[in-house]
């Protein structure tokens, strides 16, 4: 007997399979959990209407039309069909024949290390399995994932932007997200970008850096890259279609650069989540110089996975950054006060949600603020060498005391003592 | 209920019989004197029969008995005309014939008592007796063709012996009788049929069971006809003597119709005849009349005393045949596992087979079958040229599968190695009685006194579009018959060694050939790359096609025979490529007994077996092989495939679907390797 997908609500024409409770061909008891699928509202678990052997017509992440058959329950176990491609692990399209070796058709579709086949003349898939460590380890079906790629990918990306297929993996969006997109499309007139902002307090950095003395761009770059490379990987993504998004395999932050001479450019730092803060600062410095010189490399002009635009040196106190190309997140930095910055995150509602992005910003704030020393105050400071007070230093027209890292720990030093050093 | 017409017929026959009984002349003293010993033998027969009935009544005998009381003189009269080297084939009512021919009355009693000292060790009992020159069996008419074969042996030896076949008139309903009569007449054999016409077939009167005339039947086959009865002993003895002499001197078949009357029941107590009728013939019985003769009173008393003494003695000390001695058969169970490389000459199987038989004929063997004379040379041309080369050793017969097979059995009893050809395997069912009730049984039921090394060979198999009755593979009907070995030719192996091997076997054997395989050139070892071709087990060995490389990666053992074995070898590469299974192929020649040792090692190694047979799979060879393999390799996964269980159609596509094909083998291998 065939098992049909029930119509749980009037809105859904399709559901997405999220879990299969038994393996194909296995026996299931009547009433046992059979399939979980997701509607636009909730997840639904379907129980088996009968006892028998299950033959699934779909896999996890497949979409199935409501009121259509999703599997069958049979009296006999289904026979395996070696002729279908599903049974074959297709690692490589290369099929080489070695003189003297005869391969079965199944074996000929598998990649093989011919040196492991010494002593063989007739090669079956089992011979390969016992000889080839890759096959033995069980390889992922990348070909299957690639074959499921939606052709809509190309249509959602600007023809000016080149996103290489090997740079991302495709995942299905949930039914609820699709429903949300659909609603946004209807109600928002097609606009899917939202912006959320947060205020970050700066101050005296624990690790001084003259270049980024009055900016937090490096910290935003450093911490956001780390987060996007880990727990917020879903923001390191882009919209493909209502049913699919692309998650980038690596993090490459794009730095928005603009001056009076050169047009707006976004230069990227590859694998930004793997760099240290000093590394980020160094790369940023290089980009600044290259941009000024007009010598940015082609590599650095490749598309980034997300973008940071820093207007904290201007007088702007608010920004609504626009998403750039195949990205789901852009961070804009403005200065709110002397030691106060605003970080605004514009995101693609088709990829993420306001709640998710706000959590991201909360964490980003905490991480950035951890770079600052809020325990020391201007009034309490003094030169540890001549004991001149901060206020005395300021009266001399100097900016303040310098923070010196020494083997004995951090020391304050006035400019006079520093010059004499 | 007997019909009125049949009843009237019977009454008429009985009336005529009564007339014979009452009109018989009284025996002259001269006759009695000169035939005293014969008459004494007749009294001995009667006394033994009565003693046997008495022993049955006492519960000291097992089984059944068919006494010949009232008919004793037939056996005596015939035996008087026989000489050393002559054979008698008899039936269920054989005691009189046996005692008259051999004199072994005491051994007969022991036989029925089930004693080892019996004629056949107590194994055959009443109906199944054997001595040199005497053989009896319980199936009606089945020994007639055997007698014909024995005759042929005499003829070839230049001897003037005869074979005498005793039948009842009821046996004239059996086809075997007419096939044998036709065959003996065609060849011109000194075959004597003695029909003991007692006008009742068990319980059925002749008037109900018989039409036409016995004389007419005999003469229509060209047999010379003689007639007499058991009331006029002098005439009886003369007729029998003349008839036997006629057969002996003129090498011609002779039919003797002897009217007589059975005074006792058919067996022990089953008698529906009218008491008045029985009483009448008892009163007119010759021995009954003579029993009051003073000379015979003493004879009778002496005989009775001797019989009683013997019975008393053997009942005390008699020994039974041991189980272990009995159970052993003649099948070639010892199997060699010696292996050697197999290199076949480039020759077609049919030609190789013809050459093999040429060799056997050169060594004195015979081939008998339908349409096998030159220039036709047989339906598949196996005997082409052999008839001219070996005149008299290639015997072409009418369409009589039963008679041909019985004839071959008889010839083998006469010491002639005979290959019986059944033109199409489908027709072998006509010979099943000869195979099952004669060839298979002789060795054991005659207490291992007679072997039958006849070979029955026949082409089986479909693939030619010949239709349901010309395409069957009926091996499974022939497998498991007691003491009958079964072999299958294959173009994987030159047949010469196998043919010679089976010609020497003491047991009857059947050689299955494949009509499709006949035309194939013997398998060449270089026709498939990267495989080894060997034969394991010698003359009746198994061809083994082994893929080169690491044998630990072999997935399946494939066991087949005949044409299918060759087909698998021919398509080894393609089957491998499509199935993803690496397999070793064993093409067996010996189907029964199963040569498990040839492939046991490989089965243990792979743990997976595919058995492929040409006939329909259910209840077939593959099932038995699977069972036997499971006993020695319990964990083996075994599958067997065969043809579908429907008659094989003539249309090509449907026939291909019914028979086992390449794709069936590929699918089965795939299922085994998962």
């Amino acid at each position: 007997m065939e098992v049909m997908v029930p119509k749980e609500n009037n809105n859904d024409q399709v559901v997405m399979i999220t879990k299969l409770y038994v393996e194909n061909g296995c026996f299931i008891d009547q009433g046992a959990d059979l399939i979980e699928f997701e509607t636009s509202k909730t997840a639904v678990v379907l129980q088996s209407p009968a006892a028998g052997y299950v033959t699934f017509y779909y896999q996890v992440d497949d979409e199935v039309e409501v009121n259509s058959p999703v599997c069958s329950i049979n009296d006999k176990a289904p026979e395996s069909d070696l002729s279908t491609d599903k049974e074959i692990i297709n690692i490589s399209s290369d099929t080489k024949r070695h003189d003297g070796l005869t391969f079965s058709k199944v074996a000929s579709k598998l990649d093989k290390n011919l040196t492991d086949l010494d002593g063989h003349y007739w090669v079956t898939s089992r011979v390969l399995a016992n000889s080839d460590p890759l096959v033995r380890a069980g390889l992922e079906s990348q070909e299957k994932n690639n074959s499921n790629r939606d052709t809509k990918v190309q249509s959602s990306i600007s023809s000016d932007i080149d996103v290489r297929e090997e740079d991302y993996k495709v995942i299905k969006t949930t039914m609820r997200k699709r429903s949300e997109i659909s609603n946004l499309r209807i109600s928002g007139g097609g606009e899917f970008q939202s912006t959320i902002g947060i205020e970050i307090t700066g101050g005296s950095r624990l690790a001084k850096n003259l270049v980024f003395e009055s900016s937090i761009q490096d910290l935003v770059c450093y911490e956001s890259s780390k987060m996007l490379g880990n727990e917020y990987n879903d923001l390191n993504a882009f919209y493909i279609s209502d049913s699919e998004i692309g998650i980038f395999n690596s993090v490459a932050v794009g730095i928005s650069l603009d001056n009076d001479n050169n047009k707006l450019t976004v230069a990227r730092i590859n694998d930004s989540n793997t760099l240290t803060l000093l590394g980020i600062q160094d790369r940023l410095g290089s980009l600044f110089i290259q941009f000024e010189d007009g010598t940015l490399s082609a590599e650095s002009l490749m598309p980034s996975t997300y973008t940071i635009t820093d207007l904290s040196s201007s007088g702007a106190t608010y920004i609504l950054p626009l998403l750039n190309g195949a990205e789901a997140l852009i961070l804009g930095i403005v200065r709110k006060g002397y030691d106060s910055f605003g970080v605004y995150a514009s995101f693609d509602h088709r990829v993420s949600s306001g709640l998710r992005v706000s959590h991201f910003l909360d964490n980003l704030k905490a991480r950035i603020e951890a770079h600052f020393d809020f325990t020391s105050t201007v009034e309490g400071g003094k030169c540890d060498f001549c004991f001149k007070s901060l206020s005395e230093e300021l009266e001399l027209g100097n900016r303040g005391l310098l923070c010196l890292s020494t083997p004995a720990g951090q020391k304050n030093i006035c400019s006079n003592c520093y010059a004499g050093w | 209920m007997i019909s009125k017409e049949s009843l009237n017929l019977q009454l008429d026959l009985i009336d005529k019989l009564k007339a014979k009984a009452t009109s018989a002349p009284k025996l002259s003293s001269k006759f009695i004197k000169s035939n005293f010993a014969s008459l004494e033998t007749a009294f001995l027969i009667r006394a033994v029969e009565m003693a046997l009935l008495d022993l049955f009544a006492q519960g000291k005998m097992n089984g059944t008995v068919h006494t010949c009381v009232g008919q004793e003189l037939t056996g005596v009269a015939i035996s008087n005309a026989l000489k050393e080297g002559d054979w008698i084939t008899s039936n269920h009512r054989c005691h009189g014939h046996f005692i008259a021919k051999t004199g072994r009355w005491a051994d007969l009693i022991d036989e029925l008592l089930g004693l080892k000292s019996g004629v056949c060790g107590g194994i055959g009992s009443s109906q199944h007796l054997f001595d040199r020159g005497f053989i009896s069996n319980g199936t009606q008419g089945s020994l007639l063709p055997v007698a014909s074969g024995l005759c042929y042996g005499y003829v070839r030896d230049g001897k003037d012996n005869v074979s005498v076949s005793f039948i009842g008139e009821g046996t004239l309903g059996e086809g075997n009788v007419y096939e044998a009569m036709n065959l003996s007449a065609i060849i011109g054999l000194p075959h004597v049929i003695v029909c003991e016409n007692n006008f009742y077939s068990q319980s059925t009167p002749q008037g109900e069971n018989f039409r036409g005339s016995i004389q007419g039947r005999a003469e229509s086959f060209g047999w010379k006809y003689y007639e007499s009865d058991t009331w006029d002993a002098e005439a009886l003895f003369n007729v029998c003597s003349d008839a036997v002499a006629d057969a002996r001197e003129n090498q011609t078949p002779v039919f003797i119709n002897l009217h007589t009357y059975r005074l006792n029941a058919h067996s022990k107590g089953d008698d529906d005849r009218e008491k008045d009728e029985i009483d009448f013939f008892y009163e007119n019985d010759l021995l009954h009349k003579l029993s009051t003769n003073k000379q015979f009173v003493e004879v009778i008393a002496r005989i009775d005393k001797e019989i009683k003494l013997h019975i008393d003695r053997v009942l005390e000390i008699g020994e039974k045949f041991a189980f272990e001695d009995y159970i052993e058969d003649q099948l070639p169970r010892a199997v060699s596992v010696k292996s050697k490389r197999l290199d076949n000459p480039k020759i077609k199987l049919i030609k190789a087979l013809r050459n093999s038989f040429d060799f056997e004929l050169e060594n004195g063997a015979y081939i008998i079958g339908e349409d096998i004379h030159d220039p036709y040379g047989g339906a598949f041309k196996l005997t082409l040229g052999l008839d001219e080369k070996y005149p008299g050793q290639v015997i072409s017969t009418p369409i009589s599968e039963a008679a041909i097979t019985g004839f071959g059995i008889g010839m083998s009893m006469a010491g002639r190695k005979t290959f019986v050809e059944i033109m199409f395997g489908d027709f072998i069912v006509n010979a099943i009685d000869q195979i099952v009730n004669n060839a298979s049984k002789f060795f054991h039921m005659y207490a291992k006194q007679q072997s039958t090394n006849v070979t029955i060979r026949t082409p089986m198999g479909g693939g030619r579009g010949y239709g349901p009755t010309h395409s069957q593979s009926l091996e499974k009907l022939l497998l498991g018959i007691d003491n009958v070995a079964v072999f299958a030719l294959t173009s994987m192996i030159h047949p010469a060694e196998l043919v010679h091997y089976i010609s020497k076997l003491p047991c009857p054997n059947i050689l299955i050939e494949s009509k499709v395989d006949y035309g194939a050139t013997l398998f060449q070892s270089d026709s498939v790359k990267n495989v080894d071709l060997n034969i394991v087990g010698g003359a009746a060995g198994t061809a083994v096609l082994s893929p080169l490389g690491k044998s630990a990666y072999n997935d399946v053992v494939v066991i087949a025979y005949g044409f299918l074995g060759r087909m698998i070898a021919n398509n080894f590469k393609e089957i491998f490529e499509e199935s993803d299974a690496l397999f070793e192929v064993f093409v067996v020649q010996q189907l029964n007994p199963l040569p498990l040792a040839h492939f046991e090692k490989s089965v243990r190694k792979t743990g997976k077996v595919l058995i492929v047979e040409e006939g329909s799979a259910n209840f077939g060879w593959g099932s038995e092989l699977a069972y036997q393999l499971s006993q020695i390799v319990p964990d083996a996964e075994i599958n067997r495939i065969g043809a579908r269980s429907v008659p094989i159609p003539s249309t090509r596509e449907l026939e291909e679907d019914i028979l086992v094909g390449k794709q069936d083998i590929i699918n089965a291998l795939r299922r085994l390797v998962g």
Side-chain angles (χ1 to χ4, degrees), chain B residues 3 49 54 64 81-82 109 199 210 238 272 305 357 451 522 569 580:
Chain B
S3 69
E49 296 286 67
D54 194 44
T64 191
L82 299 182
I109 292 174
F199 296 89
F210 189 89
N238 290 335
D272 295 323
K305 188 179 175 184
F357 283 111
S451 289
L522 295 182
D580 192 36

Side-chain angles (χ1 to χ4, degrees), chain A residues 80 100 102-106 118-127 130-131, chain B residues 529-531 547-550 553 555 572-573 576-578 580-582 673-674:
Chain A
S80 63
T102 304
F103 292 83
S104 69
K105 283 192 176 177
V106 173
D118 284 346
H120 289 277
Y121 292 84
W122 303 88
V123 183
T124 62
S125 60
R126 282 164 303 288
V127 171
N130 285 314
S131 305
Chain B
K529 285 191 170 41
N530 295 328
V531 294
L548 288 182
K550 301 177 182 177
Y553 286 92
D555 297 309
F572 184 90
K573 183 168 176 285
F576 161 78
E577 286 173 341
E578 293 294 333
D580 192 36
L582 188 56
V673 297

